[in-house]
Amino acid sequence: MKARVLSGVQPTGNLHIGNYLGALKNWVKIQYDYDSIFCIVDLHAITVYQKPEELRAKIRELAGIFIAAGIDPKHSSIVVQSSVPPHAELSWMLTCVTPIGWLYRMTQFKAKSEAQDTIGDGLLQYPVLMAADILLYQANIVPVGDDQSQHLELARDIAQRFNSLYGETFVMPATKLPTVGARVMGLDDPEKKMSKSATGSGHAIGLLDPPNVIRKKFMKATTDSNPAVDLATMGPGVANLLNIFQALSDWTDEQMRAHFSGMRYGDLKKQVGEMVASSLEPIQQRYQEITADPAYLDGILREGVERVMPIANSTVELVKSRMGLYTRS
Ligand code: ATP
Ligand code: MG
């Protein structure tokens, strides 16, 4: 039996090249080596208020982008989280074994709660739901961007705690980070990770941004006071541009050094903009084709649920029986 991979993206805001390089691109690369499940985590999205009409549209958009980026729905299951109730069920059971102090320590909770007037309890519970997403399918590997490392560590801690309280139940999931592109930074501020929830038109490159918009955004990207690329002294803005180029081109460090050393920033920005625009073009084209047929997407999302439901139900039954909850069998 193949090992299982699980990962997810929230259907909020516009998917950006950070999500692509940190997550999606790697999912596409490894999907056939595993039993792969990729989730549209809409229950995570509602940890901060979403306009219902927008959320509904974003879920479909994200499913389209997954497929356009190269997720093969014939092999990999594409699943909308809220269509599989066991995610929420297991989340509650895990909530009950998670010390609240573990959750207050999460840096994402600290960062995201600062931006809210009132903090929903869900924002604090978010990493428990994420642990449930992973443990529900007994996933072995979780390919994510670097910002999710802390949440994954917590998922292992929760699994371990459950196992020690109730007996061996959950597989320990391993984090899989990409070698290049694990943390793409904002183009306007290279000290902050690129995020869907961040505002500012020059912050992120959307996967569906038209080529001319992409080029323009790169021309405005923050660099530093040097005139040209010097790998020894470059600031985080230039390092970020090079990182994006390398992640898309799969060039070696040596190729990168030979090509970019001494290049003036104007040319650097132009070349990175070109690389991104031309890499995204085929994805954008496929996206248009896929979304032209809404019934096709619905069929794929239905099929995804049908495939994963038996796994999810059997984990919840196992957890219930371990905890002493009522089970039919
Ligand atoms: P939000 O701001 O709403 O949290 P996000 O941009 O962080 O949005 P998520 O849906 O939370 O996106 O994350 C989806 C996947 O993309 C995760 O695997 C995450 O690690 C990865 N990811 C997010 N931002 C980056 C980034 N800047 N660089 C690399 N990977 C990223
Ligand atoms: Mg995030």
Side-chain angles (χ1 to χ4, degrees):
M1 216 171 71
K2 280 183 177 171
R4 184 165 293 137
V5 150
L6 178 122
S7 198
V9 177
Q10 300 184 67
T12 51
N14 294 322
L15 226 70
H16 52 75
I17 51 170
N19 302 128
Y20 180 62
L21 298 174
L24 260 177
K25 183 170 182 274
N26 308 296
W27 303 357
V28 171
K29 201 156 70 188
I30 64 173
Q31 62 182 328
Y32 297 111
D33 298 334
Y34 298 95
D35 173 12
S36 301
I37 304 172
F38 300 114
C39 293
I40 296 166
V41 287
D42 53 348
L43 296 175
H44 285 278
I46 58 169
T47 53
V48 293
Y49 177 78
Q50 306 295 331
K51 290 201 183 96
E53 274 320 306
E54 280 176 20
L55 180 58
R56 232 188 307 280
K58 283 289 165 192
I59 292 169
R60 302 184 65 84
E61 179 183 301
L62 195 51
I65 291 180
F66 278 13
I67 300 165
I71 300 296
D72 175 1
K74 287 201 186 73
H75 172 80
S76 305
S77 305
I78 299 178
V79 179
V80 179
Q81 185 187 29
S82 65
S83 315
V84 181
H87 282 263
E89 270 185 281
L90 181 60
S91 179
W92 173 252
M93 295 163 195
L94 297 180
T95 292
C96 296
V97 303
T98 306
I100 201 165
W102 290 6
L103 300 176
Y104 283 122
R105 279 205 295 274
M106 295 294 109
T107 54
Q108 179 180 290
F109 171 70
K110 289 182 202 162
K112 286 203 172 178
S113 56
E114 269 168 19
Q116 304 300 317
D117 294 333
T118 52
I119 303 161
D121 185 23
L123 201 56
L124 183 66
Q125 301 299 327
Y126 177 115
V128 183
L129 178 58
M130 181 167 156
D133 299 338
I134 298 163
L135 302 177
L136 186 62
Y137 300 110
Q138 304 283 12
N140 306 90
I141 310 275
V142 186
V144 285
D146 171 65
D147 62 304
Q148 292 299 332
S149 295
Q150 195 187 29
H151 287 164
L152 265 158
E153 235 166 83
L154 182 84
R156 283 189 290 271
D157 287 344
I158 293 173
Q160 221 138 35
R161 190 169 157 84
F162 189 98
N163 286 353
S164 71
L165 283 171
Y166 295 107
E168 210 52 38
T169 305
F170 293 119
V171 166
M172 280 310 134
T175 310
K176 186 175 170 64
L177 300 180
T179 40
V180 184
R183 193 173 185 82
V184 175
M185 309 308 282
L187 295 191
D188 55 343
D189 179 358
E191 303 289 339
K192 290 212 176 82
K193 95 160 182 82
M194 194 177 276
S195 278
K196 286 191 250 102
S197 53
T199 47
S201 66
H203 171 77
I205 301 288
L207 290 192
L208 300 179
D209 279 353
N212 60 328
V213 173
I214 294 177
R215 291 192 194 97
K216 252 188 230 149
K217 284 186 184 172
F218 274 104
M219 290 320 284
K220 286 196 206 131
T222 302
T223 48
D224 50 49
S225 54
N226 291 343
V229 179
D230 176 352
L231 295 179
T233 62
M234 67 186 171
V238 174
N240 189 39
L241 294 177
L242 291 173
N243 191 36
I244 292 169
F245 187 100
Q246 186 171 16
L248 284 170
S249 65
D250 289 323
W251 281 12
T252 61
D253 291 349
E254 193 39 53
Q255 279 173 302
M256 290 295 293
R257 190 174 307 119
H259 184 78
F260 286 108
S261 287
M263 186 180 285
R264 300 191 66 82
Y265 286 166
D267 291 330
L268 167 72
K269 289 176 177 184
K270 213 180 268 170
Q271 293 204 6
V272 180
E274 272 317 313
M275 170 55 82
V276 173
S278 63
S279 303
L280 295 187
E281 206 188 303
I283 296 177
Q284 298 178 346
Q285 241 164 34
R286 274 198 300 273
Y287 176 79
Q288 295 308 335
E289 290 160 20
I290 290 160
T291 47
D293 180 4
Y296 169 73
L297 270 188
D298 285 327
I300 283 175
L301 295 177
R302 237 188 344 260
E303 204 179 300
V305 172
E306 278 164 20
R307 272 197 238 151
V308 303
M309 200 58 112
I311 314 168
N313 280 332
S314 83
T315 306
V316 165
E317 281 300 294
L318 174 66
V319 172
K320 278 185 173 178
S321 100
R322 288 280 149 84
M323 295 183 100
L325 295 167
Y326 179 73
T327 54
R328 273 157 303 179
S329 46

